[in-house]
Amino acid sequence: MARRDFDPATVKPDGRAPSKGVLVKAGNEGPWRGSLEGLALGGPITVLAYGTDEVGKGPRLHVHPYDETFVVIAGHARFHVGETTIDAAAGEVVFGPAAIPHRFENLGPGRLQTIDIHHSPTWIQTDL
């Protein structure tokens, strides 16, 4: 099915050039595979890559002043967002609203890999 959600004639380029950056660097050790701030690309979001093979492991409880969207690429995760617990598997997406403390962990079996989209051109975080 072809989509036509808007008239392309009504949108004008803003002058930014296309760009690219490196998110995951070969040989990165540990769960944080990489991050790429939106400022480096001239865009409004920051992207992080997280992965672990250890069941029960994940980022510590933390909070951001902006929204965060998590894309589960592989495995199974349990997200704790404020008072809400959400289990998610590969192909699913979880939303964490601004100013709500959150964390997630690998439920296993096997590897958990996520792409974490920070709705900010810079990564701003306070660990709790």
Side-chain angles (χ1 to χ4, degrees), residues 1-6:
M1 171 174 89
R3 291 183 62 158
R4 188 166 173 82
D5 296 330
F6 70 98

Side-chain angles (χ1 to χ4, degrees), residues 104-117:
F104 60 89
E105 61 203 38
N106 183 359
L107 286 180
R111 181 166 188 78
L112 170 64
Q113 184 69 55
T114 66
I115 297 294
D116 308 338
I117 302 166

Side-chain angles (χ1 to χ4, degrees), residues 5-29:
D5 296 330
F6 70 98
D7 180 357
T10 65
V11 180
K12 304 295 179 217
D14 64 9
R16 290 179 293 161
S19 60
K20 77 172 192 175
V22 176
L23 174 61
V24 179
K25 297 176 182 81
N28 268 11
E29 296 295 326

Side-chain angles (χ1 to χ4, degrees), residues 76 81 98:
H76 297 85
V81 184

Side-chain angles (χ1 to χ4, degrees), residues 31-32 48-52 54 56-64 68 70 77-80 101-106 112-114 116 118 123 125-128:
W32 292 106
L48 280 65
Y50 178 87
T52 185
E54 291 187 59
K57 294 293 183 178
R60 70 186 78 170
L61 186 67
H62 62 277
V63 66
H64 309 284
E68 185 173 7
F70 306 91
R78 175 161 292 149
F79 290 83
H80 304 275
H102 57 275
R103 66 181 180 85
F104 60 89
E105 61 203 38
N106 183 359
L112 170 64
Q113 184 69 55
T114 66
D116 308 338
H118 291 235
W123 182 3
Q125 177 170 308
T126 296
D127 293 336
L128 304 172

